[in-house]
């Protein structure tokens, strides 16, 4: 069975997609077969990986897989091969998925059922969840049962993390499952007092979790603009070792 990880935070703008892409890139760089799943209707991961046409085309899409149970066995047809790893791209129609799933049978388990079709094909499946706590994020959490949480070292993160952990508890109780928090990724680290104070708070509040610190590097933005993770980008950065460390942690189990 593939190891499944969702990268999630109900707060937007925390570097969630960049984190997910670079973890997928690190795992691929370690020699693993990796699938990146873009579950965010905004399609930032899809577009960031230069799959713009997949986001708007009229072919079978992830939206169809999620909405129509009869289409789930066709999930292979939606996957695109990319330079580093395979991609299950988002589609613009997924903006309608939340409302359409409201009355659907097993609405929060659609991705769970679909990914079961792929377990033998990949060693790792990385899901980029939407920046909200709707049905699509529930699908990601229940399908993966492992969550990595990116956050910014700022005051607003405290409230967002409290809400997310409370929501995870509710899902665990409602579905009788365990959802493991793998760790936190503190993004866009700057050298200032506010950052230091928030990193101390992260460490005290979540002392049992590993916390990886990603500094604000322009190479991360250039790799994104190039349609790759930092591992397939022409420039190097000292942040590569941080993503390697996250990948190594995932490999341990």
């Amino acid at each position: 069975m593939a190891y499944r990880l969702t990268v999630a935070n109900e707060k937007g703008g925390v570097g969630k997609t960049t984190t997910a892409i670079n973890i997928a890139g690190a795992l691929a760089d370690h020699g693993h077969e990796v699938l990146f799943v873009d579950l965010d209707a905004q399609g930032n991961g899809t577009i960031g990986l230069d799959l713009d046409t997949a986001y708007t085309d009229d072919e079978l899409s992830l939206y169809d897989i999620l909405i129509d149970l009869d289409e789930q066995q066709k999930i292979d047809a939606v996957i695109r091969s990319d330079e580093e790893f395979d991609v299950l791209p988002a589609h613009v129609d997924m903006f309608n998925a939340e409302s359409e799933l409201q009355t659907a049978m097993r609405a929060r388990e659609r991705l769970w059922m679909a990914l079961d079709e792929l377990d033998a094909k990949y060693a790792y499946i990385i899901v980029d969840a939407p920046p909200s706590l709707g049905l699509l994020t529930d699908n990601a959490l229940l399908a993966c049962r492992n969550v990595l949480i990116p956050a910014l070292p700022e005051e607003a993160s405290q409230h967002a993390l409290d809400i997310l952990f409370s929501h995870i508890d509710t899902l665990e109780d409602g579905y009788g499952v365990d959802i493991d928090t793998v760790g936190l990724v503190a993004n866009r680290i700057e050298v200032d007092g506010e950052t230091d104070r928030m990193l101390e708070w992260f460490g005290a509040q979540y002392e049992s979790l590993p916390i990886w610190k990603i500094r604000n590097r322009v190479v991360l933005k250039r790799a994104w603009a190039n349609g790759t993770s930092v591992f397939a980008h022409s420039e190097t950065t000292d942040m590569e070792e941080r993503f390697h460390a996250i990948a190594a942690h995932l490999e341990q189990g």
Side-chain angles (χ1 to χ4, degrees):
M1 181 176 178
Y3 180 97
R4 302 176 190 173
L5 174 76
T6 187
V7 180
N9 190 327
E10 63 96 16
K11 187 177 185 297
V14 297
K16 180 175 54 60
T17 300
T18 300
T19 299
I21 287 175
N22 283 300
I23 290 170
L27 289 164
D29 196 54
H30 288 195
H32 299 294
E33 291 295 324
V34 180
L35 175 67
F36 174 89
V37 180
D38 187 0
L39 202 62
D40 185 355
Q42 297 176 83
N44 291 329
T46 299
I47 294 167
L49 292 169
D50 283 344
L51 293 171
D52 307 49
T53 55
Y55 183 62
T56 55
D57 68 25
D58 294 327
E59 303 298 321
L60 185 74
S61 72
L62 180 54
Y63 165 79
D64 301 303
I65 299 297
L66 293 170
I67 296 301
D68 189 345
L69 290 174
D70 292 333
E71 301 286 4
Q72 292 205 334
Q73 69 275 15
K74 301 176 184 176
I75 191 169
D76 265 324
V78 184
I79 294 171
R80 305 297 180 93
S81 295
D82 201 51
E83 178 181 353
E84 300 176 82
F85 41 79
D86 286 354
V87 180
L88 186 52
H91 193 274
V92 66
D93 286 347
M94 286 168 58
F95 280 110
N96 300 319
E98 292 277 354
S99 60
E100 294 188 38
L101 286 172
Q102 287 290 341
T103 57
M105 178 182 65
R106 301 182 70 179
R108 290 174 172 80
E109 301 171 46
R110 298 302 181 94
L111 185 65
W112 178 353
M113 293 185 286
L115 293 185
D116 281 348
E117 300 281 338
L118 303 173
D119 270 339
K121 187 173 180 180
Y122 298 99
Y124 292 89
I125 297 175
I126 308 299
V127 179
D128 183 22
S132 66
L133 294 181
L135 286 171
L136 290 180
T137 295
D138 288 354
N139 266 272
L141 291 166
L142 289 170
C144 296
R145 315 285 178 84
N146 300 289
V147 58
L148 181 70
I149 304 172
L152 300 185
E154 60 185 27
E155 195 78 31
S157 293
Q158 298 181 22
H159 182 60
L161 290 171
D162 285 345
I163 292 173
L164 178 59
F165 281 116
S166 177
H167 190 74
I168 289 172
D169 288 342
T170 300
L171 280 179
E172 289 179 320
D173 291 342
Y175 285 84
V177 300
D178 292 323
I179 299 173
D180 180 42
T181 302
V182 172
L184 301 179
V185 177
N187 276 320
R188 301 175 197 159
I189 298 294
E190 303 283 1
V191 181
D192 59 49
E194 173 66 6
T195 294
D196 291 342
R197 188 183 70 80
M198 283 304 302
L199 289 175
E200 288 179 10
W201 184 86
F202 285 157
Q205 189 75 10
Y206 307 110
E207 58 183 356
S208 64
L209 296 177
I211 299 174
W212 292 281
K213 301 169 187 176
I214 307 297
R215 294 195 175 277
N216 198 5
R217 296 289 189 255
V218 70
V219 175
L220 297 176
K221 298 176 183 177
R222 289 175 180 161
W224 171 275
N226 192 48
T228 69
S229 79
V230 294
F231 299 97
H233 186 55
S234 58
E235 301 172 90
T236 60
T237 171
D238 56 345
M239 292 301 101
E240 288 181 23
E241 67 183 50
R242 308 291 172 88
F243 291 112
H244 274 309
I246 298 172
H249 184 77
L250 298 179
E251 289 168 333
Q252 292 169 7

